Amino acid sequence: MSQIADIHKAFLSSKGVSTDSRNNNQGVIFFALKGANFDGNKYVKDVLSNGAAFAVADDYSLKGIENIFVVDDVLTCLQELALHHRRYLNIPIIAITGTNGKTTTKELVAAVMSRKFNIMATQGNFNNHIGVPLTLLSMNKTVELGIVEMGANHVGEIELLCKIAEPNFGIITNVGKAHLEGFGSFEGVKTAKGELYQHIKNNNGKLFINHDNEHLMGMASGIENRIEFGVESGFISGQTTKNDPFIAMSWQTEDGLSYHIQTKLIGSYNLENILSAICIGHTFNVKPEDINAAIEDYTPTNNRSQFIQTAHNKIIMDAYNANPSSMQVALNNFSEMDATNKLVILGGMKEMGDDCITEHQKLLDTINKLTFEKVILIGTEFKAINTYNAIFYEDNESLIKDIQLKPIQNKSILIKGSRSNKLEELLPHL
């Protein structure tokens, strides 16, 4: 029996995987990961003495100690164990990636699929080279279907995650300008996200694809095993019927049946995320009434397109992430909404590399053409550009001080920015 098989046997007898020595590790198998500022090997003995069942380490001085597996590299072992476990489970895995909307799509797909199957989906943002293995290892034999979100900021990362998760179904929500420091260019983004398509093609899997997206259609050229959806036609089609502030929509099957949904989602850009979930659910024979109920019951959290009514203002809180494409659609959607006294508060976009000034200027050029009563900009990214009539603040604290002196009231507010801006700090003052 190979070492991975031995570790998998130990894993199955344990209470799960831990990578943090500070957790309650009673009965778990502890993986002693290393980072720039920590070395899990130093805590292995303590974790075992505090009740862990097993540990995996790559410090050879620990070799021979009971219940410790010593390997060449703990991270590689974690990934190989996840692959071994995925093959042991032998269930359908749906992989989801994309520049924008992948988490919302993942949550919608999970909501729909859980109406028929016992599913397990990525929790939080566990979508990288550590998070994907942990997601797979959170599944047991009662799970009938897995939904795995895959994030990346460098070419090659999606390919690695596909080798670990071996998805048989895949969807790319969209491709846009994000993490340009790592990808280098928009073409780099397409290459990186396209690694999912390549894996699906090479392994006879099935793609779900928005045929209204010309970039995705071009990337999927030559892949025949796919199911398309879109606004006008496809296996599933659908249209927004209202967006004020929540999306109402209708959707149709290929055989002409039609349904209507009132969602709790804001932003017409979420239509493609909803259609993705409908298409996947319908492919897996989830009943239409269950699809509709799942989507209508879904409420976004985590500062993702949330509608918040405060004592003084109506707020669209969309500050989990930001890049040029997501900024553009959020601003256009807000511009088109039937609301008065519109205020936009934007935080700077991160990881834009050499394109930082250019992309922020494009953003402000767009805003200048739209009709907002007032625009507030936060962050040094806006410092070197023409901000037109917008009001600039270095940081949240500076804006909060001004709000305390002159409260903002009776406004419809869009708050949008990269996660590191922590724009949610503004909410108590609005």
Side-chain angles (χ1 to χ4, degrees):
M1 186 179 281
S2 71
Q3 188 178 32
I4 288 295
D6 287 338
I7 295 172
H8 187 247
K9 185 178 178 182
F11 161 71
L12 291 178
S13 71
S14 75
K15 292 184 178 179
V17 169
S18 171
T19 60
D20 192 336
S21 62
R22 298 166 295 184
N23 290 346
N24 176 5
N25 289 311
Q26 198 72 30
V28 305
I29 178 166
F30 174 70
F31 278 76
L33 294 174
K34 286 185 290 205
N37 302 309
F38 64 91
D39 181 355
N41 289 289
K42 295 178 181 178
Y43 308 104
V44 165
K45 290 179 182 177
D46 287 342
V47 169
L48 285 171
S49 65
N50 287 329
F54 304 95
V56 179
D58 47 22
D59 179 348
Y60 276 83
S61 70
L62 298 170
K63 197 171 180 66
I65 300 176
E66 187 179 10
N67 295 333
I68 298 178
F69 296 94
V70 177
V71 299
D72 291 337
D73 183 86
V74 171
L75 175 58
T76 301
C77 179
L78 178 69
Q79 293 169 345
E80 290 176 351
L81 178 66
L83 171 60
H84 186 94
H85 187 60
R86 187 266 177 274
R87 291 175 176 173
Y88 163 81
L89 294 172
N90 192 29
I91 58 174
I93 297 284
I94 302 169
I96 300 172
T97 191
T99 301
N100 305 313
K102 57 183 174 290
T103 298
T104 299
T105 299
K106 177 257 299 183
E107 291 182 355
L108 287 168
V109 171
V112 167
M113 299 301 271
S114 66
R115 298 285 169 143
K116 180 177 179 181
F117 303 98
N118 182 19
I119 65 111
M120 181 68 73
T122 300
Q123 299 298 301
N125 61 350
F126 272 40
N127 62 10
N128 64 7
H129 62 298
I130 296 172
V132 167
L134 293 176
T135 296
L136 294 168
L137 291 168
S138 70
M139 302 177 191
N140 59 34
K141 275 289 192 181
T142 68
V143 174
E144 299 169 289
L145 182 143
I147 301 163
V148 178
E149 181 181 329
M150 295 182 175
N153 51 26
H154 290 84
V155 171
E157 287 180 286
I158 298 295
E159 181 182 9
L160 170 66
L161 299 180
C162 285
K163 287 178 179 176
I164 295 169
E166 292 188 338
N168 9 42
F169 299 88
I171 182 167
I172 302 176
T173 56
N174 50 49
V175 285
K177 292 180 178 179
H179 304 296
L180 294 181
E181 281 182 343
F183 292 130
S185 67
F186 178 52
E187 288 304 313
V189 175
K190 289 167 66 175
T191 298
K193 301 300 183 183
E195 290 163 6
L196 175 58
Y197 281 0
Q198 201 57 48
H199 170 86
I200 296 294
K201 179 182 179 182
N202 293 343
N203 293 276
N204 300 313
K206 183 170 288 185
L207 296 181
F208 299 98
I209 183 167
N210 178 1
H211 73 203
D212 297 331
N213 188 310
E214 60 182 24
H215 294 299
L216 297 180
M217 291 296 284
M219 290 160 60
S221 178
I223 302 177
E224 295 181 3
N225 194 7
R226 66 196 200 192
I227 296 177
E228 298 180 5
F229 59 90
V231 171
E232 293 301 330
S233 62
F235 177 69
I236 293 296
S237 57
Q239 306 79 34
T240 303
T241 56
K242 195 175 181 184
N243 182 25
D244 187 26
F246 301 111
I247 296 174
M249 61 165 294
S250 60
W251 64 276
Q252 303 82 38
T253 61
E254 264 190 326
D255 52 11
L257 296 174
S258 185
Y259 305 91
H260 190 266
I261 302 175
Q262 174 61 60
T263 79
K264 296 170 186 162
L265 285 155
I266 288 176
S268 55
Y269 49 86
N270 272 310
L271 176 65
E272 60 194 73
N273 302 329
I274 299 168
L275 285 177
S276 301
I278 294 171
C279 183
I280 292 170
H282 200 60
T283 300
F284 281 83
N285 297 314
V286 180
K287 294 176 182 176
E289 56 268 32
D290 289 336
I291 292 174
N292 294 346
I295 292 171
E296 290 189 333
D297 287 348
Y298 172 73
T299 302
T301 56
N302 242 356
N303 301 321
R304 298 178 191 273
S305 298
Q306 281 181 266
F307 179 77
I308 301 169
Q309 174 79 63
T310 71
H312 305 293
N313 300 289
K314 296 176 180 178
I315 298 173
I316 297 174
M317 189 67 182
D318 194 5
Y320 190 84
N321 58 29
N323 54 58
S325 49
S326 68
M327 282 282 205
Q328 187 76 49
V329 295
L331 288 165
N332 287 340
N333 180 77
F334 189 51
S335 176
E336 292 164 4
M337 279 179 58
D338 184 16
T340 56
N341 301 327
K342 292 181 183 177
L343 164 63
V344 174
I345 301 176
L346 295 185
M349 299 179 288
K350 308 300 182 182
E351 296 184 53
M352 297 309 298
D354 294 339
D355 294 326
C356 184
I357 292 176
T358 302
E359 292 299 337
H360 282 85
Q361 187 61 65
K362 284 182 185 176
L363 184 64
L364 268 294
D365 292 346
T366 296
I367 289 173
N368 194 47
K369 296 172 186 174
L370 300 173
T371 53
F372 301 123
E373 183 185 273
K374 187 176 180 182
V375 177
I376 293 173
L377 309 173
I378 303 174
T380 55
E381 293 85 359
F382 292 110
K383 212 169 188 179
I385 62 175
N386 178 5
T387 56
Y388 297 102
N389 297 316
I391 302 167
F392 170 73
Y393 292 90
E394 289 262 356
D395 50 39
N396 295 343
E397 291 74 19
S398 304
L399 172 56
I400 290 168
K401 284 179 183 177
D402 274 6
I403 295 173
Q404 289 170 338
L405 292 172
K406 189 177 180 182
I408 294 174
Q409 297 182 351
N410 302 316
K411 304 290 185 188
S412 299
I413 305 173
L414 169 66
I415 301 178
K416 178 76 176 167
S418 290
R419 179 71 196 90
S420 56
N421 291 308
K422 298 182 180 178
L423 296 180
E424 66 276 8
E425 293 175 349
L426 304 176
L427 284 176
H429 308 279
L430 295 170

